[in-house]
Amino acid sequence: MYKKLCLTLLVVLSMLLSGFWVNEVQADGSADFKSDNPLYGDKEVFNYLLWTMDEKLEKDVEKLQEDLNLSEKEMDFLKEWGLKERSMVTESLNQLSPQDQQDATTFNRIAEDVFAQRNLALQDFFGERYTLLEAWISEWWKEEIDYRNQWLAARTDVNADIDRVSRVFATQYNPNTSGAYEVALPDKYVKFANLGWISNIPSNLRTIYGKPPYVVNVYNPATGRSVRSVKVDEVGPWNTDDNYWDAKNGTNPRRKFTDLPLGTPQAYAAYTNGHNGGKDQSGRKVLNPAGIDLTPRVATDLGLKSLQNAWIDVRYEYLP
């Protein structure tokens, strides 16, 4: 009870200090940009912006530093919080029981706490200049979402359901077996098939998932490097029943989120456009738009640095 009260007070304090009252009308009659600002939407803003290998985002980072005249020390502070946005949530979850780790309410409370701490830290570090950072992020976010939606739509229309290539946001994860060379996709039955857990697959789907091993080929356009025949031995990120590479009326119909375009991971739609209230299928707030997870060895072979994200191409034709 005491811990819960402290967390609640922390969130309220963050809201008060930042002036966060959604849809508040300013003295000049203008709408409050905080209502659409990802800083107040429990999102990994700085991890996405500062830790992603992407030509457009890298230019955005340069513009951020130039527009706000940020020093290297200030940029390093933002980069540090870019890592903390993800690690602090994970570290907090790891302190809980396996059952509590799966609880969406608990996950969302931890995420709210982490991002409240982040905003307080930013306000303390930047002082009066925080409002400038806040406004810049708000404008950048709107522009980035418009750009990214159009960028992805152009590629999805061309690629999906033809050669099953999709531009997907990739993050990195530490596998259960240290050093494993694998990827994770949000289809639990691919994992079950590859690991031989046939009894965990519904009987009506066992024929569809009956010819493992299932692998993907991955290409990083930013480096020109690729990896082939990488097994899908883990499920995630975020969803477990989002085979987004399959058409809703195909031989292996998309099981959930059939309102989304073919080739669009639900996590991306939740993160950028508020799909399903910004939550995954279990009710957790989606903190980043990842549709595939890479182990460090795979990421390294694609030319990524430690903990770096990327927009990559994935060939799914060897999946069910």
Side-chain angles (χ1 to χ4, degrees):
M1 177 63 73
Y2 176 75
K3 181 178 180 181
K4 183 176 181 180
L5 177 61
C6 289
L7 290 174
T8 301
L9 290 174
L10 178 60
V11 173
V12 172
L13 178 60
S14 175
M15 293 168 64
L16 288 172
L17 290 177
S18 62
F20 172 44
W21 299 112
V22 175
N23 295 326
E24 179 183 1
V25 176
Q26 304 299 297
D28 61 1
S30 62
D32 183 2
F33 60 75
K34 296 183 181 67
S35 62
D36 296 317
N37 195 316
L39 289 174
Y40 305 101
D42 297 332
K43 301 181 188 295
E44 295 176 0
V45 179
F46 296 108
N47 188 279
Y48 176 80
L49 174 60
L50 299 167
W51 288 90
T52 300
M53 180 181 287
D54 176 79
E55 183 178 4
K56 191 265 183 185
L57 291 176
E58 289 166 3
K59 290 180 179 178
D60 290 345
V61 172
E62 294 176 359
K63 190 174 188 301
L64 166 64
Q65 185 169 13
E66 180 181 349
D67 287 351
L68 300 186
N69 193 28
L70 299 180
S71 66
E72 291 301 322
K73 179 180 179 181
E74 289 169 328
M75 292 300 296
D76 287 343
F77 183 82
L78 294 179
K79 291 177 182 177
E80 180 182 355
W81 264 103
L83 293 180
K84 287 182 177 179
E85 286 172 337
R86 185 165 302 170
S87 65
M88 289 177 66
V89 173
T90 302
E91 290 167 1
S92 296
L93 286 171
N94 288 341
Q95 296 176 17
L96 303 177
S97 67
Q99 181 178 357
D100 287 340
Q101 290 179 25
Q102 301 301 316
D103 181 68
T105 301
T106 300
F107 178 92
N108 293 340
R109 174 172 50 79
I110 289 174
E112 291 169 3
D113 177 38
V114 167
F115 293 115
Q117 291 182 54
R118 179 199 62 192
N119 291 347
L120 285 171
L122 291 171
Q123 292 159 22
D124 182 63
F125 184 82
F126 285 98
E128 294 180 355
R129 300 177 64 214
Y130 174 75
T131 56
L132 298 176
L133 174 65
E134 185 182 50
W136 192 96
I137 291 294
S138 179
E139 291 304 311
W140 162 77
W141 176 253
K142 288 184 289 186
E143 183 275 332
E144 165 63 15
I145 298 310
D146 287 343
Y147 166 85
R148 201 62 62 179
N149 285 340
Q150 295 179 33
W151 182 78
L152 288 171
R155 285 155 177 78
T156 300
D157 289 345
V158 172
N159 293 320
D161 207 28
I162 299 176
D163 53 10
R164 306 182 85 175
V165 174
S166 179
R167 190 63 61 89
V168 182
F169 190 77
T171 49
Q172 298 186 41
Y173 74 103
N174 291 317
N176 292 324
T177 302
S178 179
Y181 201 85
E182 64 186 43
V183 300
L185 287 176
D187 182 352
K188 59 189 175 186
Y189 300 138
V190 173
K191 171 185 175 178
F192 294 165
N194 276 347
L195 296 182
W197 300 352
I198 306 303
S199 62
N200 290 337
I201 302 176
S203 57
N204 63 313
L205 295 178
R206 288 177 188 172
T207 300
I208 294 176
Y209 289 85
K211 295 182 179 180
Y214 296 113
V215 300
V216 292
N217 297 334
V218 185
Y219 171 69
N220 183 1
T223 61
R225 297 170 68 171
S226 62
V227 294
R228 299 180 62 84
S229 300
V230 185
K231 284 186 68 178
V232 184
D233 277 353
E234 190 53 88
V235 62
W238 301 109
N239 294 297
T240 62
D241 290 289
D242 185 26
N243 51 322
Y244 58 81
W245 49 89
D246 287 316
K248 62 182 178 181
N249 57 351
T251 55
N252 183 29
R254 186 173 185 170
R255 295 193 295 276
K256 288 186 178 294
F257 312 119
T258 55
D259 57 312
L260 294 175
L262 175 64
T264 299
Q266 191 272 339
Y268 171 81
Y271 180 81
T272 58
N273 302 316
H275 184 270
N276 195 39
K279 298 177 180 179
D280 68 6
Q281 70 180 77
S282 64
R284 298 179 302 171
K285 294 182 178 181
V286 174
L287 311 184
N288 63 63
I292 187 172
D293 241 345
L294 317 171
T295 60
R297 287 184 59 202
V298 174
T300 297
D301 281 355
L302 290 171
L304 298 178
K305 299 177 182 178
S306 175
L307 305 177
Q308 192 173 31
N309 314 306
W311 287 99
I312 62 175
D313 290 336
V314 185
R315 293 185 67 93
Y316 303 100
E317 67 263 43
Y318 303 111
L319 298 185

